[in-house]
């Protein structure tokens, strides 16, 4: 089985497990991250690796594409920071819709807000995992990252509770004030993660 990492051919692998391990070691030792895998010219599927090595059939060539870990994390974090601005706009609109009694529109906006924050949390979790950073050690002003993450969980729980109780006034306050304050803190958290990766 031929193994290529970026544009460089590596030693042939005896099986898929050997190939994956070879690519992992190469990526880690060079500070890079595997971002794409082609199996005989076709994108690798999750099922392919779940079934390995049984039922694999014959693989002639595996091509791994890697990216600089620090650059990839920085790009991902900057994109997330830009998304926070969209979240802030949704939150302002949602609060206004609730106060105006436009509940049907507010529910659609609220769904976008919740999905946006869940995606934001996933981004931070992924960055921390890839960079092997303990969020509890990341300083963000006078706070630490884990406290900011917990504050978001608390705020989202409050959103769900006020929504369930149809407490529209409190729901508007959580969106307009609590989540807006958290938006700034999460932007700062992402900036701190970028700095942690660049200085590590």
């Amino acid at each position: 089985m031929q193994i290529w990492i970026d544009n460089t051919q590596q030693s042939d692998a005896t099986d898929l497990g050997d190939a994956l391990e070879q690519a992992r070691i190469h990526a880690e030792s060079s500070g890079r991250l595997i971002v794409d895998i082609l199996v005989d010219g076709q994108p690798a599927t999750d099922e392919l690796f779940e079934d390995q090595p049984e039922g694999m059939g014959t693989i002639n060539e595996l091509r791994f594409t890697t990216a600089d870990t620090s650059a990839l994390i920085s790009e991902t974090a900057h994109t997330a920071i830009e998304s926070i601005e969209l979240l802030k706009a949704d939150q302002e609109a949602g609060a206004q819709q609730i106060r105006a009694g436009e509940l049907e529109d507010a529910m659609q906006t609220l769904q976008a807000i919740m999905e946006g924050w869940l995606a934001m949390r996933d981004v931070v979790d992924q960055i921390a995992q890839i960079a092997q950073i303990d969020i509890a050690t990341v300083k963000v002003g006078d706070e630490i990252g884990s406290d900011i993450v917990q504050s978001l969980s608390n705020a989202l729980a409050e959103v769900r509770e006020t929504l369930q109780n149809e407490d529209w006034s409190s729901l508007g306050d959580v969106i307009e004030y609590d989540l807006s304050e958290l938006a700034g803190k999460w932007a700062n958290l992402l900036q701190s993660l970028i700095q942690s990766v660049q200085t590590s």
Side-chain angles (χ1 to χ4, degrees), residues 33 69 73 122-135 193:
L33 191 68
T69 302
I73 288 175
D122 286 344
V123 166
V124 168
D125 286 345
Q126 289 167 7
I127 289 175
Q129 182 178 3
I130 291 169
Q132 297 182 333
I133 295 173
D134 182 357
I135 293 294
L193 287 173

Side-chain angles (χ1 to χ4, degrees), residues 155-200:
L156 295 182
E158 192 171 354
V159 167
R160 296 187 186 95
E161 182 179 351
T162 55
L163 185 61
Q164 185 176 5
N165 294 335
E166 298 185 357
D167 185 350
W168 307 122
S169 177
S170 296
L171 177 58
D173 287 345
V174 174
I175 295 172
E176 186 171 12
Y177 301 115
D178 296 7
L179 288 181
S180 290
E181 181 182 358
L182 278 169
K185 291 184 177 182
W186 273 70
N188 292 336
L189 171 59
L190 287 160
Q191 288 285 7
S192 295
L193 287 173
I194 293 171
Q195 293 172 3
S196 296
V197 171
Q198 291 176 341
T199 57
S200 62

